[in-house]
Amino acid sequence: VVGSRQGTEINQRNLRFILSDVKNVPLTIVSGLALGLDALAHELALANTLPTIAVLGSSVEPDEIYPRSNVHLADRILASGGLLVSPFPAKTEITRWNFPIRNQFIAALADATLVASAAAKSGALITAKLALEYGKDVFVIPGYVDDPLYMGSNSLLQQGAYPILSSQNLLEHFGFYEQPKLLALLVLTPGRLRV
């Protein structure tokens, strides 16, 4: 799950709506521990008792986790049995070039990428393009056509990415959703049929 660091009320609500019913299935949420929608994806995984993997743009050393505001979230991920993964050794300087490398790892680790929102130039869009290069599926939560935080997302939809409108869409894709079966209960008594 990748998305904007600018977690607006709308894109947070959309991601909550999509992931709220993703429970009791063997899915692992992989994201980047970044501010905004990445952190929310990890939070929702923890709330739904799903395993989660945070791929960092820093080392995984406790005093080097970036962003520092998500250290508590990283601790909770570890306490739940999740993983912190990084391509960077201890004492690696945080630069903007770390994050495209991190995005490569996210795209490579995940079976599919869900883009919660992406601007026309964003790390989320880079991750989606890498996922496509790796032959992985890309899912997109559609957004407002005039919202800059969805320009990249909506362009992915134009290029053939799968639109995700509910958790059912995700669960069906992975084969976890079954249509509810109609259960009819017949009670027979002499001379009458009750349904």
Side-chain angles (χ1 to χ4, degrees), residues 112-136:
T113 297
L114 171 64
V115 179
S117 77
K121 293 182 179 181
S122 66
L125 203 55
I126 291 169
T127 307
K129 288 181 179 179
L130 288 165
L132 290 171
E133 287 177 18
Y134 299 154
K136 313 257 181 126

Side-chain angles (χ1 to χ4, degrees), residues 17-193:
F17 177 75
I18 298 301
L19 293 183
S20 63
D21 288 331
V22 179
K23 303 175 185 177
N24 305 315
V25 292
L27 282 179
T28 300
I29 302 295
V30 179
S31 197
L33 197 74
L35 299 173
L37 297 178
D38 285 22
L40 180 58
H42 292 301
E43 293 280 2
L44 292 168
L46 293 171
N48 292 347
T49 63
L50 294 173
T52 188
I53 298 172
V55 183
L56 280 60
S58 64
S59 84
V60 296
E61 296 298 319
D63 59 338
E64 295 182 17
I65 291 172
Y66 181 86
R68 296 302 300 159
S69 58
N70 284 344
V71 169
H72 181 64
L73 176 57
D75 291 340
R76 289 176 46 225
I77 289 169
L78 290 173
S80 75
L83 295 174
L84 302 182
V85 176
S86 175
F88 305 105
K91 310 267 190 258
T92 298
E93 181 183 355
I94 305 294
T95 70
R96 66 186 187 122
W97 303 111
N98 295 29
F99 301 99
I101 294 168
R102 176 204 60 188
N103 296 343
Q104 285 180 302
F105 276 76
I106 292 171
L109 281 172
D111 289 330
T113 297
L114 171 64
V115 179
S117 77
K121 293 182 179 181
S122 66
L125 203 55
I126 291 169
T127 307
K129 288 181 179 179
L130 288 165
L132 290 171
E133 287 177 18
Y134 299 154
K136 313 257 181 126
D137 290 326
V138 173
F139 306 127
V140 175
I141 300 173
Y144 293 121
V145 295
D146 62 346
D147 186 336
L149 291 178
Y150 287 102
M151 294 297 180
S153 306
N154 291 337
S155 86
L156 286 170
L157 288 170
Q158 283 183 314
Q159 296 168 44
Y162 299 103
I164 297 296
L165 305 177
S166 69
S167 55
Q168 178 182 334
N169 294 153
L170 279 179
L171 295 172
E172 283 174 346
H173 179 81
F174 291 109
F176 298 130
Y177 184 82
E178 293 181 15
Q179 292 292 336
K181 295 183 171 105
L182 179 62
L183 176 64
L185 179 62
L186 297 178
V187 179
L188 297 175
T189 59
R192 299 184 188 266
L193 175 64

